[in-house]
């Protein structure tokens, strides 16, 4: 890893560590489909898809051509003052992705999922005239001050940078580990909904709450979701009290879960939808879809950014939608997700250090636990992902002890099976005490 080491050593002189969650000593050079190559020529099967930002894979020819064609014509002119044909066409396509009548929806652009969730907060407050924002423990909504104030997944997202913005409240997320032994879905939903309502009954007036921000399937919180009935109760509570329901689809949208939007799994009808990441196949672009009356509640420059709606990114976004449709990637995610479910269930039966397995399309969280306590084991998780990396499979962890399974939706079945073969071997080697411990510049993970 000569070039890898040289580049990393040079970068470390000037790159602030707060900008990266460190995993492996590798410098990515190129990618094609679901295969990545580092600067030393080593290849990896990508099971991360750039944090679910490249659902269409790496260097998809249709998307590359769309970027090239647009760049030859115009690289940028700010949509803050003037429209472009590409950006305008994208707006018309995005409203078609919303539930119901496209004419009932409007769109606003940003640069990342973080500022999309900031926009959600601004429009919700602007429309309702209310100050308070409710989100869930375990949520990751972004790193700008609004979105980070709504997040609750890592202490390093609040440590030393407070005070965060006022008016933000967190409620418990009904994650699987909170379920009592033998507890039915209905009883679990009811118990967690009681916990959800507790702030509203004691110190948080519902009539002063603007929005409830939801990841229908939590991403960085561990790829997990409650039983569907829970979200229905939350939605009914919101509508009963005039509170807007906003869904964050930045991580879990664009076909990732086997449906285009993750909220489709739960029958939700949101008022606001935040998107980013795979929206433009990794090019910097985000957007919020909102009901027309909500989006008309603010005036410029309440949510203006110089590079939002950039024409090259917009061209990539249009090509992304074309690829998702023409290659039927939503159905492909659902189909290959079933293959992955069978594999991980089989591994769970063989290895007692594999805990809960959660798959939603090509999208999964696999808990690595201490068999004696059933609690997450960060050290073992790091050993596993490090040895996967050394054997040519790129996979990271969530919250220390959950394997993050999010390959590009275009991954070839042969490559997926090859990754599973390597993964099984790594699991088996760990069970036999054969794995090497992680070795690198930094502590692995969050």
């Amino acid at each position: 890893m000569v070039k890898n080491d040289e580049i990393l050593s040079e970068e470390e002189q000037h790159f602030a560590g707060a900008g990266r969650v460190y995993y492996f000593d590798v410098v990515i050079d190129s990618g094609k489909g679901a295969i990545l190559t580092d600067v030393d020529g080593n290849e990896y099967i990508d099971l991360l898809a750039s944090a679910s930002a490249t659902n269409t894979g790496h260097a998809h020819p249709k998307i590359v051509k769309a970027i090239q064609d647009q760049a030859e014509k115009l690289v940028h002119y700010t949509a803050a003052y003037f429209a472009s044909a590409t950006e305008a066409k994208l707006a018309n396509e995005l409203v078609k992705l919303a539930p119901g009548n496209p004419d009932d929806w409007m769109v606003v652009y940003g640069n990342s999922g973080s500022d999309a969730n900031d926009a959600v907060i601004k429009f919700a407050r602007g429309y309702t005239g209310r100050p308070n924002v409710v989100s869930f423990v375990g949520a990751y909504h972004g790193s700008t001050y609004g979105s980070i104030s709504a997040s609750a997944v890592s202490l390093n997202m609040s440590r030393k940078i407070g005070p965060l913005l006022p008016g933000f409240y967190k409620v418990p997320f009904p994650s699987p580990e909170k379920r009592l032994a033998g507890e039915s879905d209905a009883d679990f939903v009811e118990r967690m909904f009681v916990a959800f309502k507790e702030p509203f009954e004691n110190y948080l007036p519902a009539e002063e709450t603007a929005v409830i921000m939801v990841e229908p399937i939590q991403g960085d919180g561990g790829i997990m979701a409650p039983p569907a009935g829970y979200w229905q109760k939350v939605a009914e509570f919101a509508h009963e009290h005039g509170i807007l329901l906003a869904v964050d689809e930045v991580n879990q949208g664009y076909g990732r879960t086997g449906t285009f939007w993750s909220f489709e799994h739960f029958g939700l009808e949101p008022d606001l939808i935040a998107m980013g990441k795979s929206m433009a196949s990794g090019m910097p672009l985000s957007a919020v879809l909102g009901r027309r009356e909500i989006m008309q509640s603010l005036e410029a420059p309440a949510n203006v950014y110089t590079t939002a709606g950039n024409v090259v990114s917009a061209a990539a976004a249009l090509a992304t939608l074309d690829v998702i449709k023409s290659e039927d990637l939503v159905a492909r995610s659902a189909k290959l997700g079933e293959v992955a479910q069978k594999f991980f269930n089989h591994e769970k039966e063989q290895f007692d250090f594999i805990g809960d397995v959660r798959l939603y399309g090509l999208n999964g969280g696999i808990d690595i636990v201490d068999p004696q306590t059933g609690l997450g084991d960060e050290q073992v998780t790091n050993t596993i992902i490090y040895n996967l990396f050394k054997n040519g499979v790129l996979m990271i962890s969530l919250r220390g002890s959950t394997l993050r399974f999010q390959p590009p939706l275009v991954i070839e079945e042969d490559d997926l099976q090859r990754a599973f073969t390597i993964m099984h071997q790594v699991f088996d080697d760990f069970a036999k005490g054969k794995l090497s411990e992680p070795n690198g510049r930094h502590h692995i993970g969050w």
Side-chain angles (χ1 to χ4, degrees):
M1 296 177 66
V2 177
K3 290 183 181 177
N4 277 304
D5 285 338
E6 288 177 356
I7 293 170
L8 289 169
S9 294
E10 181 179 3
E11 184 197 44
E12 283 182 340
Q13 303 303 311
H14 304 288
F15 183 79
R20 179 174 298 148
V21 180
Y22 288 97
Y23 280 96
F24 315 117
D25 293 344
V26 62
V27 179
I28 303 299
D29 184 60
S30 63
K32 193 69 175 177
I35 305 298
L36 291 169
T37 305
D38 69 16
V39 293
D40 287 331
N42 301 305
E43 288 192 348
Y44 307 89
I45 303 170
D46 184 10
L47 299 187
L48 176 60
S50 188
S52 194
T54 53
N55 288 359
T56 57
H58 306 290
H60 193 289
K62 285 187 177 180
I63 296 167
V64 170
K65 186 176 188 307
I67 291 170
Q68 291 172 334
D69 289 348
Q70 179 59 60
E72 287 180 351
K73 187 176 179 181
L74 180 68
V75 170
H76 179 67
Y77 206 90
T78 179
Y81 298 118
F82 303 104
S84 72
T86 308
E87 164 270 320
K89 182 179 180 182
L90 178 61
N92 289 329
E93 292 300 316
L94 290 175
V95 295
K96 297 174 185 176
L97 302 174
N101 187 344
D103 290 340
D104 294 337
W105 294 80
M106 301 185 81
V107 67
V108 68
Y109 294 117
N111 300 290
S112 72
S114 296
D115 63 44
N117 282 309
D118 274 10
V120 162
I121 296 162
K122 286 188 271 187
F123 280 100
R125 284 174 164 173
Y127 176 70
T128 63
R130 303 173 178 184
N132 294 326
V133 175
V134 171
S135 58
F136 287 80
V137 174
Y140 182 93
H141 293 296
S143 288
T144 52
Y145 258 97
S147 60
I148 209 169
S149 297
S151 299
V153 71
S154 169
L155 286 173
N156 282 349
M157 296 178 74
S158 57
R159 183 178 278 128
K160 299 182 181 180
I161 62 175
L164 299 182
L165 299 187
F168 286 75
Y169 299 86
K170 313 297 190 303
V171 292
F173 185 83
S175 49
E177 73 272 9
K178 291 188 174 70
R179 189 190 288 261
L180 303 177
E183 190 173 30
S184 68
D185 277 0
D187 288 344
F188 181 51
V189 164
E190 186 56 40
R191 182 167 61 84
M192 295 307 299
F193 186 59
V194 168
F196 166 83
K197 291 189 295 182
E198 187 173 358
F200 294 100
E201 294 169 347
N202 290 280
Y203 58 87
L204 177 60
E207 69 273 14
E208 295 179 14
T209 301
V211 63
I212 299 171
M213 297 177 67
V214 168
E215 289 174 286
I217 300 171
Q218 279 197 343
D220 290 80
I223 317 288
M224 60 179 68
Y230 178 81
W231 288 135
Q232 293 299 324
K233 286 181 173 290
V234 170
E236 289 169 7
F237 178 90
H239 294 146
E240 178 184 349
H241 294 281
I243 303 169
L244 299 183
L245 184 69
V247 292
D248 180 344
E249 294 281 350
V250 175
N251 187 314
Q252 299 287 294
Y254 271 69
R256 172 53 62 189
T257 68
T259 55
F260 192 89
W261 301 119
S262 68
F263 68 76
E264 295 177 67
H265 288 278
F266 308 98
L268 292 176
E269 296 183 3
D271 300 297
L272 294 155
I273 304 167
M275 68 192 84
K277 286 188 184 284
S278 273
M279 177 184 178
S281 293
M283 292 288 286
L285 183 67
S286 67
V288 172
L289 277 169
R291 298 191 185 277
R292 179 173 292 271
E293 63 273 18
I294 299 170
M295 303 301 277
Q296 291 177 328
S297 65
L298 299 179
E299 297 182 2
N303 199 67
V304 165
Y305 304 93
T306 301
T307 55
N310 166 269
V311 285
V312 178
S313 292
L318 286 167
T320 297
L321 291 174
D322 176 58
V323 168
I324 290 173
K325 182 178 180 180
S326 64
E327 298 187 14
D328 205 11
L329 293 188
V330 176
R332 196 169 193 277
S333 176
K335 175 187 172 184
L336 291 183
E338 293 175 0
V339 174
Q341 181 82 61
K342 290 179 182 177
F343 167 76
F344 286 114
N345 284 346
H346 183 259
E347 299 301 287
K348 176 180 170 67
E349 291 174 0
Q350 293 190 69
F351 302 108
D352 59 4
F353 55 84
I354 297 179
D356 195 41
V357 171
R358 302 173 295 278
L359 267 294
Y360 313 90
L362 275 176
N363 181 59
I366 300 89
D367 292 340
I368 303 299
V369 301
D370 180 335
Q372 301 303 315
T373 65
L375 300 176
D377 194 321
E378 184 174 332
Q379 182 176 346
V380 173
T381 305
N382 289 347
T383 299
I384 287 171
I385 61 174
Y386 175 76
N387 283 271
L388 286 172
F389 166 69
K390 298 298 286 185
N391 283 278
V393 173
L394 194 65
M395 192 179 205
I396 68 167
S397 61
L398 292 167
R399 304 197 78 174
S401 58
T402 296
L403 300 180
R404 179 176 187 165
F405 175 73
Q406 291 184 312
L409 307 185
V410 299
I411 189 170
E412 298 290 344
E413 291 191 53
D414 287 349
D415 289 331
L416 186 61
Q417 291 297 342
R418 189 156 55 95
F420 288 157
T421 298
I422 294 169
M423 197 175 297
H424 173 77
Q425 188 62 58
V426 168
F427 289 158
D428 191 56
D429 285 347
F430 174 75
K432 295 174 180 176
K434 294 181 178 180
L435 293 188
S436 57
E437 292 300 310
N439 180 26
R441 288 171 166 77
H442 304 277
H443 169 76
I444 287 178
W446 292 47

Coordinates of all heavy atoms in Angstrom, one line a residue, residues 21-22 43 45 58 89 120 136 141 165 176 186 266 269 278 320 383 390 406 412 423 428 431 434 444:
V21 N -15.0 9.9 9.5 CA -15.1 8.7 10.4 C -14.1 7.7 9.9 O -14.3 7.2 8.8 CB -16.5 8.2 10.5 CG1 -16.5 7.0 11.4 CG2 -17.5 9.2 10.9
Y22 N -13.0 7.4 10.6 CA -11.9 6.6 10.1 C -12.3 5.1 10.1 O -12.8 4.6 11.1 CB -10.6 6.9 10.8 CG -10.0 8.2 10.5 CD1 -10.3 9.3 11.3 CD2 -9.3 8.4 9.4 CE1 -9.7 10.6 11.0 CE2 -8.7 9.6 9.0 CZ -8.9 10.7 9.9 OH -8.4 12.0 9.5
E43 N -8.6 -4.3 -5.6 CA -10.0 -4.2 -5.8 C -10.8 -4.6 -4.6 O -10.4 -5.5 -3.9 CB -10.4 -5.0 -7.0 CG -9.9 -4.5 -8.4 CD -10.5 -5.2 -9.6 OE1 -11.1 -6.3 -9.4 OE2 -10.4 -4.7 -10.7
I45 N -15.1 -5.4 -3.4 CA -16.5 -5.4 -3.6 C -17.1 -4.4 -2.6 O -17.0 -4.5 -1.4 CB -17.1 -6.8 -3.4 CG1 -16.4 -7.8 -4.3 CG2 -18.6 -6.8 -3.7 CD1 -16.7 -9.3 -4.0
H58 N -21.0 2.9 -9.4 CA -19.9 3.8 -9.7 C -19.7 4.0 -11.2 O -19.7 3.0 -12.0 CB -18.6 3.3 -9.1 CG -18.7 3.1 -7.6 ND1 -18.9 4.1 -6.7 CD2 -18.8 2.0 -6.9 CE1 -19.0 3.6 -5.5 NE2 -19.0 2.3 -5.6
K89 N -36.5 21.0 -15.6 CA -37.0 19.7 -16.0 C -36.9 18.8 -14.7 O -37.9 18.0 -14.5 CB -36.2 19.1 -17.1 CG -36.7 17.7 -17.6 CD -35.8 17.2 -18.7 CE -36.3 15.8 -19.2 NZ -35.5 15.3 -20.3
V120 N -36.5 21.6 5.8 CA -37.7 21.0 6.4 C -38.0 21.8 7.6 O -39.2 22.1 7.8 CB -37.4 19.5 6.7 CG1 -38.4 19.0 7.7 CG2 -37.5 18.6 5.5
F136 N -36.2 11.7 16.7 CA -36.0 10.4 17.5 C -34.6 10.2 17.9 O -33.6 10.5 17.2 CB -36.6 9.3 16.7 CG -38.1 9.3 16.5 CD1 -38.7 10.1 15.6 CD2 -38.8 8.5 17.4 CE1 -40.1 10.1 15.5 CE2 -40.2 8.5 17.3 CZ -40.8 9.3 16.4
H141 N -29.8 13.2 10.9 CA -30.4 14.1 10.0 C -29.3 15.0 9.3 O -29.7 15.7 8.3 CB -31.5 14.9 10.6 CG -32.7 14.1 11.0 ND1 -33.5 13.4 10.1 CD2 -33.2 13.9 12.3 CE1 -34.4 12.8 10.8 NE2 -34.3 13.1 12.1
L165 N -29.3 24.3 18.6 CA -30.5 25.2 18.4 C -31.6 24.9 19.4 O -31.8 23.7 19.7 CB -31.0 25.1 17.0 CG -30.0 25.5 15.9 CD1 -30.8 25.5 14.5 CD2 -29.4 26.8 16.1
P176 N -35.4 -2.6 18.0 CA -35.6 -4.0 18.4 C -35.2 -4.3 19.8 O -35.8 -5.1 20.5 CB -34.9 -4.8 17.4 CG -34.8 -3.9 16.2 CD -34.7 -2.5 16.7
A186 N -48.2 -5.6 18.7 CA -49.3 -4.7 19.2 C -48.9 -4.1 20.5 O -49.0 -2.9 20.8 CB -50.6 -5.4 19.2
F266 N -44.7 1.7 5.1 CA -45.5 1.9 6.3 C -46.8 2.7 6.0 O -47.5 3.0 6.9 CB -44.7 2.7 7.3 CG -43.4 2.0 7.6 CD1 -42.2 2.5 7.0 CD2 -43.3 0.9 8.4 CE1 -41.0 1.9 7.2 CE2 -42.0 0.3 8.7 CZ -40.9 0.8 8.0
E269 N -48.2 9.1 4.7 CA -48.5 10.2 3.8 C -47.9 11.5 4.3 O -48.5 12.3 5.0 CB -50.0 10.4 3.6 CG -50.7 9.2 2.9 CD -52.2 9.4 2.7 OE1 -52.7 10.5 3.0 OE2 -52.8 8.5 2.2
S278 N -28.1 9.7 -3.0 CA -28.2 9.0 -4.3 C -29.1 9.8 -5.3 O -29.3 9.4 -6.5 CB -28.8 7.6 -4.2 OG -27.7 6.7 -3.9
T320 N -30.0 9.7 -13.2 CA -30.2 8.7 -12.1 C -31.6 8.2 -12.1 O -31.8 7.0 -12.0 CB -29.9 9.4 -10.8 OG1 -28.5 9.8 -10.7 CG2 -30.2 8.4 -9.6
T383 N -12.9 -6.1 14.2 CA -12.0 -7.2 13.7 C -12.6 -7.8 12.5 O -11.9 -8.1 11.5 CB -11.9 -8.3 14.8 OG1 -11.2 -7.7 16.0 CG2 -11.1 -9.5 14.3
K390 N -9.4 -6.6 4.3 CA -8.1 -7.2 3.9 C -8.4 -8.3 2.8 O -7.5 -8.7 2.1 CB -7.4 -7.8 5.1 CG -7.0 -6.8 6.1 CD -6.0 -5.7 5.6 CE -4.6 -6.3 5.4 NZ -3.7 -5.2 5.0
Q406 N -25.1 -2.1 2.5 CA -25.7 -1.2 1.5 C -25.0 -1.2 0.2 O -24.4 -0.2 -0.2 CB -25.9 0.2 2.0 CG -26.8 0.3 3.2 CD -27.0 1.8 3.7 OE1 -26.0 2.5 3.8 NE2 -28.2 2.2 3.9
E412 N -23.7 -7.0 -9.4 CA -23.9 -8.2 -10.1 C -24.1 -9.3 -9.1 O -23.5 -9.4 -8.0 CB -22.7 -8.6 -11.0 CG -22.4 -7.6 -12.1 CD -23.5 -7.6 -13.2 OE1 -24.2 -8.6 -13.3 OE2 -23.5 -6.6 -14.0
M423 N -17.4 -13.3 3.3 CA -18.0 -12.9 4.6 C -18.1 -14.2 5.4 O -17.8 -14.2 6.6 CB -19.3 -12.2 4.4 CG -19.8 -11.5 5.6 SD -21.3 -10.6 5.3 CE -20.7 -9.4 4.1
D428 N -16.3 -17.6 9.9 CA -15.8 -18.9 10.3 C -14.4 -18.8 10.9 O -14.1 -19.4 12.0 CB -15.8 -19.8 9.1 CG -15.5 -21.3 9.6 OD1 -16.3 -21.8 10.4 OD2 -14.6 -21.9 9.1
A431 N -14.7 -17.4 14.4 CA -15.1 -18.4 15.3 C -14.0 -19.4 15.7 O -14.0 -19.9 16.9 CB -16.3 -19.2 14.7
K434 N -8.9 -17.3 14.2 CA -7.9 -17.1 13.2 C -7.7 -15.7 12.7 O -6.8 -15.5 11.9 CB -8.2 -18.0 12.0 CG -8.1 -19.5 12.3 CD -8.4 -20.3 11.0 CE -8.3 -21.8 11.3 NZ -8.6 -22.6 10.0
I444 N -11.1 2.5 14.7 CA -12.1 2.3 13.6 C -13.4 2.8 14.1 O -13.9 2.5 15.2 CB -12.1 0.8 13.3 CG1 -10.9 0.4 12.5 CG2 -13.4 0.4 12.5 CD1 -10.8 -1.1 12.1

